[in-house]
Amino acid sequence: MSAAEITDKVYDIIVSKMGVNKDQIKPESKFADDLGADSLDTVELIMELENEFGVQIPDEDAEKIGTVQQAVDYIVNKK
Amino acid sequence: MGLELKRVVVTGIGVLSPVGLSITDFWNALMEGKSGAAPISYFDTTGFATTFACELKNFKADEYIDRKSADRMDPYCQYGVISAEHALKDSGLDLTSIDPTRIGVVHGSGIGGMTVYDQQFRQYLERGPRRVSPFFIPMLIPDIAAGQISIRNGLMGPNYATASACATSLHAVMDAVMLLQMGMADYMVCGGSEAPITPMSVAGFNSAKALSTRNDAPAKASRPYDVDRDGFVMGEGAGSLVIETYESAVRRGAKIYAEIVGMGASADAYHLTAPHPEGLGARSAMSTALNMAGITPDKIDYINTHGTATPLGDLAEIRAIKKVFGDHAHKLSISSTKSMTGHLLGAAGVVESIACILALQNQTVPPTINLDNIDPEIDVDVTPNKPKARSIEYALNNGFGFGGHNGCLIFRKAPAV
């Protein structure tokens, strides 16, 4: 899967889980501050990323994923 | 009684029922004798003893709540939130102008989030514990509707759920009345909601032999007091009331639907699911409510019964009514609106209280439908098949739950202001 495809898929997951429009999402968007995610939303988002991309994201890694770009980079590196 | 209790009135109503999603549609359906029963659309009923229920019709949560919020609520919670918000709107209360700590919520559910439980348990079995949603617990618990109502509307007064199976929402209204009378709040939102049409719940009630199995004629299945009744028909939905003191309602010029004048609660102390055959607990709940209202039994004009159409329960309740009301049991009007709405379990009490309030407003008794052959043991007027216009000053509502919980409320026609 290319980085562009991964980015696209990450955006789709954010749209479905966060109830935001795709054009509101930017690479630097912070899940908590910019996309309105609370602590439970964040846990669910990480689970959805694991699910969708077939990767395991340990809690200590999950804590470092604060922005959309960080999520995309993490998946790209794992793939 | 040493304590001078404040008079409490109903100033807002919200209802989501299988026969109507608004006050007007609900009442019109009761007047038309419409059944809400149909084959279950929510899941494949192959292998189930019962294959029909009273589902909400043409209901889409995201017409009322934004999609993200709706996705994080079990249907039971969506129904509760929507009916409560309808009741708040109907009450005309301006939430921005009142002290938020003085408006509370008591909103219950008999079971809670059955749908999310089914989904997440399947997820656990198929994919393991790490795949269980972080929203599972806060979507499942039966108090989360009360919590969501407060969070979404900024209501910071007393807030909790009641749970007494099919008497749940009657007890919610009772608690809310007491909170007002004790001065712990100025306004209360109260009621209950239920969304039990799920595989596990239908299977469980089937195993308990509680449900009608008249699969070839769903609309004819809920038939309280008919000789051929064979159990209740499961329903879903919610009802909510906004209540406040009479003085408060008059001061702000609110429309008053009715006054809550009597309340009774008791236990059968008899059996897990079967009612006491002589309705001992029901008798004491009705007597307590009459006593609190300070009226003699002959003042009651209409009783909306628990009347679920189980062979034992219907008879036990009518026996209890005859004991409490004596000769007057043959003069008052009785009906079970469950013949139309199905049995909304935890939401049944408040939805039927709303039927009582609308009966008082319209001076008309809603019918018991599907009465083709009245059980010969039922020798009282159960308002067969057609509504009946009559003068109604006081209406009484019964609700009984598994566990032997009984609740009874008495409503009086809105006082002239």
Side-chain angles (χ1 to χ4, degrees):
Chain A
M1 196 183 284
S2 73
E5 284 168 332
I6 289 173
T7 306
D8 221 39
K9 224 167 186 185
V10 169
Y11 276 41
D12 286 343
I13 291 170
I14 295 169
V15 167
S16 84
K17 290 295 162 191
M18 300 293 165
V20 294
N21 294 323
K22 210 161 185 169
D23 54 17
Q24 286 173 261
I25 309 170
K26 299 188 178 62
E28 66 274 21
S29 299
K30 292 186 176 123
F31 293 117
D33 298 339
D34 300 325
L35 300 174
D38 64 19
S39 57
L40 296 179
D41 291 328
T42 313
V43 175
E44 193 182 49
L45 186 74
I46 296 294
M47 282 174 60
E48 202 55 36
L49 293 173
E50 290 182 320
N51 201 17
E52 197 61 44
F53 296 103
V55 296
Q56 285 276 357
I57 308 178
D59 287 351
E60 52 277 23
D61 289 356
E63 281 164 22
K64 292 177 199 139
I65 301 176
T67 67
V68 175
Q69 192 59 49
Q70 284 166 351
V72 171
D73 291 347
Y74 187 87
I75 305 293
V76 170
N77 286 332
K78 278 260 180 174
K79 280 290 189 185
Chain B
M1 198 177 295
L3 193 64
E4 189 64 39
L5 293 178
K6 288 195 168 133
R7 295 169 69 186
V8 172
V9 295
V10 177
T11 55
I13 293 177
V15 61
L16 287 185
S17 85
V19 297
L21 305 177
S22 69
I23 303 171
T24 311
D25 288 351
F26 172 65
W27 181 251
N28 288 344
L30 298 188
M31 290 300 98
E32 287 159 19
K34 197 165 118 185
S35 165
I40 290 172
S41 72
Y42 297 160
F43 60 91
D44 177 6
T45 56
T46 306
F48 281 77
T50 296
T51 60
F52 63 96
C54 292
E55 297 177 350
L56 297 188
K57 315 289 183 300
N58 304 314
F59 170 82
K60 290 193 186 67
D62 56 12
E63 288 177 8
Y64 306 92
I65 312 173
D66 70 278
R67 194 179 54 85
K68 184 185 172 192
S69 303
D71 282 351
R72 302 218 155 143
M73 296 179 194
D74 184 88
Y76 106 84
C77 182
Q78 296 173 350
Y79 303 162
V81 163
I82 294 163
S83 81
E85 290 177 359
H86 285 178
L88 279 167
K89 187 163 181 236
D90 184 49
S91 75
L93 265 180
D94 174 8
L95 295 177
T96 60
S97 73
I98 59 179
D99 177 354
T101 65
R102 300 294 300 169
I103 172 163
V105 182
V106 184
H107 222 271
S109 173
I111 308 177
M114 283 294 266
T115 301
V116 74
Y117 193 91
D118 279 8
Q119 284 167 354
Q120 293 297 314
F121 189 58
R122 191 167 302 136
Q123 181 86 348
Y124 160 72
L125 290 177
E126 288 169 4
R127 316 201 50 199
R130 288 177 51 87
R131 285 288 169 266
V132 173
S133 165
F135 291 98
F136 170 51
I137 299 297
M139 286 171 75
L140 165 75
I141 50 183
D143 56 288
I144 206 69
Q148 287 275 20
I149 294 163
S150 82
I151 294 164
R152 289 170 54 84
N153 297 285
L155 315 183
M156 297 171 68
N159 189 288
Y160 57 90
T162 52
S164 48
C166 306
T168 292
S169 52
L170 285 183
H171 289 126
V173 175
M174 277 183 217
D175 273 21
V177 169
M178 291 188 275
L179 289 167
L180 287 178
Q181 290 178 328
M182 291 299 118
M184 291 174 69
D186 296 330
Y187 308 94
M188 290 297 299
V189 180
C190 51
S193 63
E194 203 78 68
I197 306 173
T198 71
M200 283 303 287
S201 145
V202 174
F205 277 107
N206 264 153
S207 294
K209 305 289 175 208
L211 296 180
S212 167
T213 55
R214 195 180 292 265
N215 296 323
D216 56 344
K220 289 280 177 193
S222 187
R223 43 198 312 127
Y225 312 122
D226 188 271
V227 277
D228 294 320
R229 66 188 184 278
D230 71 330
F232 78 77
V233 175
M234 192 182 281
E236 63 171 349
S240 309
L241 305 177
V242 171
I243 62 173
E244 61 196 282
T245 63
Y246 175 66
E247 290 79 5
S248 158
V250 171
R251 200 181 321 119
R252 69 181 186 90
K255 72 173 171 303
I256 298 177
Y257 280 104
E259 181 174 355
I260 304 173
V261 293
M263 315 193 293
S266 68
D268 277 3
Y270 174 72
H271 186 269
L272 281 181
T273 57
H276 187 286
E278 298 301 317
L280 270 191
R283 264 151 69 176
S284 110
M286 285 187 274
S287 298
T288 306
L290 286 164
N291 192 40
M292 178 177 168
I295 56 173
T296 47
D298 60 304
K299 297 287 184 205
I300 300 289
D301 303 297
Y302 169 48
I303 299 180
N304 186 306
T305 55
H306 188 59
T308 58
T310 59
L312 291 176
D314 285 10
L315 289 181
E317 183 177 12
I318 296 296
R319 282 189 199 115
I321 289 170
K322 290 192 337 196
K323 275 280 184 205
V324 172
F325 290 87
D327 278 352
H328 186 63
H330 300 280
K331 294 177 188 142
L332 50 74
S333 289
I334 294 172
S335 71
S336 168
T337 44
K338 285 188 182 79
S339 58
M340 295 171 276
T341 62
H343 187 359
L344 276 63
L345 308 183
V350 69
V351 168
E352 287 152 24
S353 286
I354 292 168
C356 285
I357 293 165
L358 297 175
L360 289 166
Q361 282 233 311
N362 293 284
Q363 296 288 292
T364 306
V365 176
T368 307
I369 67 162
N370 293 326
L371 267 169
D372 296 329
N373 296 295
I374 296 181
D375 185 327
E377 287 198 57
I378 307 286
D379 58 351
V380 292
D381 181 7
V382 287
T383 322
N385 305 319
K386 288 208 155 37
K388 182 175 177 177
R390 70 171 285 165
S391 154
I392 313 172
E393 178 73 19
Y394 291 95
L396 180 149
N397 180 209
N398 278 334
F400 314 133
F402 278 8
H405 321 286
N406 305 301
C408 175
L409 291 175
I410 299 175
F411 296 89
R412 185 179 192 176
K413 199 168 79 171
V417 177

